[in-house]
């Protein structure tokens, strides 16, 4: 099945070539001219004329179905020359199309488009510089779907080579953002190399999707308030973040190492994650003691982020878990997945 699908893609891609299309069109015109010519010159019916045209163009050598007049022979010579020329040109164009890598490029672009159209609840990364590459790498390691937008062809080529879905263009352009599926997206990360681009990207994205979670980069400290007013939920300054990290490494290196491990690890290692409690889930309106996640899934509740924006660290066992509460958990991937399943809305679910 895979081989058949690849062959179909190859044929479809070849037919998109201008040269191959011209050859197909030229062969069609030649068949019509040949059929009409035999009908007019030799007085044959349409079936005989079409049959003679086809065997002449394909040079299969079946011979004449009827004796030809002198005019018919001259016409046949011209038909053979036209057919051989068109077929030769078509074959050379197809070989050149494959040899130059154009077929592979078109097939890859079509597959990327299909992946993009299938995306839901994904992230859009604007800018594939040093910061954008780190964001993309982190998303890829966590198996989070995302699209990269950049106007630089070299950056798009690098992202494509990494296997990422890309859209070339400006992140401030409505059409580019719509092509990246912003209406279906979960969030956007604006990490272009200058603040003006990030401001306009945030402003445009917010206008297209008012439910979008938007994280933006700010180089200049004075730009943070502008980006927030444009519609960003959070603004990150790489310089401020880097300075704080260096200070924390100097004062409490093992804490920083622990946070790095728990935010990046996978598999059986312990990682930090947040899970939202949905309405009518198995955890809704239950106390932490009643839920007993440590026994049920093995995950540990470190903190709660309540719907009213309040943070509660090391919550009491008597704390009631309301819909919309975000659990900050520590556990391995399997434990976190089981907890996330409990937090989803299931009308028939109940705790034992």
């Amino acid at each position: 099945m895979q081989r058949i699908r690849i062959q179909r893609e190859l044929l479809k891609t070849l037919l998109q070539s201008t040269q191959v299309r011209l050859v197909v069109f030229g062969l069609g015109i030649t068949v019509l001219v040949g059929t009409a010519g035999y009908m007019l010159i030799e007085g044959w019916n349409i079936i005989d004329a079409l049959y003679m045209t086809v065997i002449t163009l394909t040079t299969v050598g079946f011979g004449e179905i009827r004796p030809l007049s002198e005019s018919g022979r001259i016409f046949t010579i011209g038909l053979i020359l036209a057919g051989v020329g068109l077929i030769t040109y078509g074959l050379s164009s197809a070989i050149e199309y494959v040899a130059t890598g154009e077929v592979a490029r078109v097939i890859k672009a079509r597959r990327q488009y299909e992946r993009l159209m299938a995306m839901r609840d994904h992230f859009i990364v604007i800018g594939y510089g040093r910061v954008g590459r780190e964001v993309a790498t982190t998303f890829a390691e966590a198996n989070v779907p995302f699209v990269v937008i950049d106007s630089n062809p070299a950056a798009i080529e690098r992202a494509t080579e990494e296997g990422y879905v890309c859209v070339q263009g400006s992140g401030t352009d409505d059409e580019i953002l719509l092509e990246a599926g912003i209406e279906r997206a979960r969030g956007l990360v604006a990490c272009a190399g200058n603040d003006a681009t990030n401001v306009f990207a945030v402003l445009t994205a917010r206008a297209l999707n008012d439910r979008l979670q938007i994280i933006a980069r700010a180089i200049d400290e004075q730009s943070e308030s502008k980006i927030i007013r444009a519609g960003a939920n959070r603004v990150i300054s790489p310089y401020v973040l880097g300075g704080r990290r260096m200070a924390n490494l100097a004062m409490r290196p093992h804490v920083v190492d622990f946070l790095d491990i728990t935010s990046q690890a996978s598999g059986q290692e312990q990682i930090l994650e947040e899970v939202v409690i949905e309405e009518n889930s198995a955890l809704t309106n239950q106390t932490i003691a009643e839920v007993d996640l440590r026994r049920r899934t093995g995950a540990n509740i470190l903190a709660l982020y309540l719907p009213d924006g309040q943070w509660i660290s090391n919550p009491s066992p008597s704390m009631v878990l309301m819909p919309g509460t975000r659990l900050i958990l520590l556990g391995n991937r399997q434990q976190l997945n089981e907890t996330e399943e409990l937090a989803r809305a299931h009308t028939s679910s109940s705790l034992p």
Side-chain angles (χ1 to χ4, degrees), residues 237-264:
S237 171
Y239 301 117
V240 173
L241 200 61
R244 288 177 180 173
R245 180 178 174 81
M246 293 174 71
N248 283 323
L249 280 169
M251 295 185 294
R252 47 186 78 89
H254 295 95
V255 173
V256 175
D257 289 341
F258 173 76
L259 291 175
D260 283 344
I261 292 172
T262 55
S263 62
Q264 299 176 8

Side-chain angles (χ1 to χ4, degrees), residues 44-280:
W44 293 351
N45 61 52
I46 188 170
I47 298 299
D48 288 344
L50 177 61
Y51 177 77
M52 184 64 184
T53 301
V54 171
I55 64 174
T56 299
L57 290 175
T58 55
T59 64
V60 295
F62 284 165
E64 302 167 2
I65 59 174
R66 297 182 190 178
L68 292 172
S69 63
E70 184 176 345
S71 298
R73 291 173 183 172
I74 295 174
F75 179 76
T76 301
I77 292 172
L79 200 61
I80 292 173
L81 293 175
V84 171
L86 280 170
I87 292 173
T88 302
Y89 176 73
L91 288 174
S92 63
S93 298
I95 293 171
E96 179 184 2
Y97 198 61
V98 173
T100 56
E102 188 67 16
V103 169
R105 186 191 66 79
V106 173
I107 290 177
K108 182 181 291 187
R110 182 182 293 116
R111 288 178 177 173
Q112 279 216 359
Y113 177 78
E114 292 172 352
R115 287 173 59 192
L116 177 57
M117 290 300 101
M119 281 187 179
R120 296 290 185 278
D121 293 327
H122 59 285
F123 284 90
I124 297 173
V125 180
I126 297 178
Y128 196 67
R130 287 174 294 181
V131 176
R133 285 199 299 271
E134 287 299 320
V135 173
T137 300
T138 303
F139 282 159
E141 290 175 350
N143 293 320
V144 173
F146 66 95
V147 182
V148 173
I149 295 178
D150 201 299
S151 58
N152 187 346
I156 291 295
E157 185 176 352
R158 286 196 302 270
T160 302
E161 290 175 355
E162 294 291 333
Y164 304 149
V165 178
C166 306
V167 176
Q168 184 173 338
S170 172
T172 63
D173 190 330
D174 289 26
E175 292 185 1
I176 296 297
L177 289 172
L178 289 171
E179 184 179 345
I182 192 169
E183 294 172 317
R184 311 184 305 273
R186 170 183 169 188
L188 179 142
V189 182
C191 43
N194 63 82
D195 291 345
T197 299
N198 288 329
V199 169
F200 283 111
V202 169
L203 190 65
T204 307
R206 181 57 70 200
L208 294 173
N209 187 341
D210 58 0
R211 302 181 305 277
L212 206 65
Q213 177 76 9
I214 300 178
I215 313 298
R217 169 191 182 184
I219 299 175
D220 190 343
E221 194 173 317
Q222 297 178 348
S223 299
E224 293 187 25
S225 59
K226 298 177 183 177
I227 297 176
I228 290 291
R229 288 199 300 270
N233 300 94
R234 300 287 182 89
V235 177
I236 302 297
S237 171
Y239 301 117
V240 173
L241 200 61
R244 288 177 180 173
R245 180 178 174 81
M246 293 174 71
N248 283 323
L249 280 169
M251 295 185 294
R252 47 186 78 89
H254 295 95
V255 173
V256 175
D257 289 341
F258 173 76
L259 291 175
D260 283 344
I261 292 172
T262 55
S263 62
Q264 299 176 8
S266 59
Q268 296 301 313
E269 298 179 38
Q270 299 293 298
I271 55 177
L272 286 170
E273 187 61 273
E274 66 175 78
V275 172
V276 182
I277 299 177
E278 299 180 3
E279 190 78 42
N280 297 322

